[in-house]
Amino acid sequence: MCRDSSVERVCEVAVTRIVSVEDAEALAAVLRANREFLAPWDPVRDEHYFTVEAQRTGLEQVLDGYARKAMVPLAIVGEDGHIVGRININGITRGAFQSAAIGYWVGQSSNGRGFATAAVAEVAAIAFGELGLHRLQAETLLHNVGSQRVLIRNGFQPFGIAPKYLKIAGTWQDHILFHLLAPAQ
């Protein structure tokens, strides 16, 4: 359950869970409903991307990555258990690096309600707890102030700008790089 504090909305129960192939229909519906809202923050998507079939294929791929321990694919769920977004731990690298990246989104009707902040906190706990990672990285567009606030609330620090880092909304765009180190052991 999420509640409002004097500063921000705080979620006190888990807001993430591992995705399943059965999520394809719900995920396609959320993506279709948020197509325009997410477009400025996403790569250009073709019509097929918003279908149940494409989402099922995508879920099968991320679950294969999860089985290979290369990533952790999660759904962000609202108080009613319905999917309101996604968050992934991507590119898990072992050896001397012990690092991964995170990426996330929340639909418009759930935006600003604390779900992304809670999901990032849960992902950091997974990364530094059960995965034993040393570092997480995240990137935001320069003008994505909301996502930057989510990261900063979770202790991430900006450490640089990557020029023309990702092709978002059809254009190569600069991104602010953020990182979070595991708590001292």
Side-chain angles (χ1 to χ4, degrees):
M1 187 65 73
C2 296
R3 63 176 166 74
D4 292 315
S5 74
S6 61
V7 178
E8 65 184 4
R9 189 156 175 86
V10 178
C11 298
E12 297 174 344
V13 298
V15 297
T16 64
R17 64 167 172 75
I18 298 295
V19 296
S20 74
V21 175
E22 289 76 32
D23 291 326
E25 189 172 338
L27 189 54
V30 171
L31 287 166
R32 281 192 305 273
N34 287 280
R35 186 176 190 163
E36 286 184 36
F37 175 71
L38 296 173
W41 319 110
D42 274 351
V44 173
R45 309 286 191 187
D46 65 14
E47 290 299 319
H48 183 68
Y49 176 80
F50 298 93
T51 66
V52 174
E53 176 188 349
Q55 292 307 306
R56 184 174 293 113
T57 299
L59 289 166
E60 289 169 350
Q61 291 170 348
V62 297
L63 288 167
D64 178 63
Y66 180 56
R68 290 182 290 106
K69 299 183 180 188
M71 69 172 308
V72 179
L74 300 160
I76 301 173
V77 295
E79 288 106 342
D80 60 2
H82 289 94
I83 294 175
V84 299
R86 287 282 316 275
I87 187 167
N88 290 328
I89 302 173
N90 297 304
I92 296 171
T93 304
R94 295 298 183 175
F97 199 37
Q98 296 297 326
S99 185
I102 65 169
Y104 55 90
W105 62 266
V106 174
Q108 187 171 15
S109 66
S110 298
N111 203 4
R113 296 182 53 207
F115 291 110
T117 299
V120 170
E122 288 178 23
V123 159
I126 293 167
F128 300 138
E130 66 187 79
L131 296 179
L133 296 177
H134 169 68
R135 182 178 185 278
L136 284 178
Q137 180 169 313
E139 306 82 21
T140 72
L141 290 165
L142 300 181
H143 59 282
N144 191 345
V145 176
S147 194
Q148 292 163 21
R149 276 194 225 116
V150 165
L151 294 170
I152 290 167
R153 281 183 190 132
N154 278 287
F156 281 76
Q157 298 178 346
F159 70 94
I161 305 246
K164 298 183 180 187
Y165 187 67
L166 294 172
K167 193 172 187 178
I168 301 297
T171 305
W172 289 101
Q173 297 194 47
D174 300 348
H175 282 66
I176 300 174
L177 306 176
F178 287 83
H179 71 145
L180 179 66
L181 300 179
Q185 299 173 343

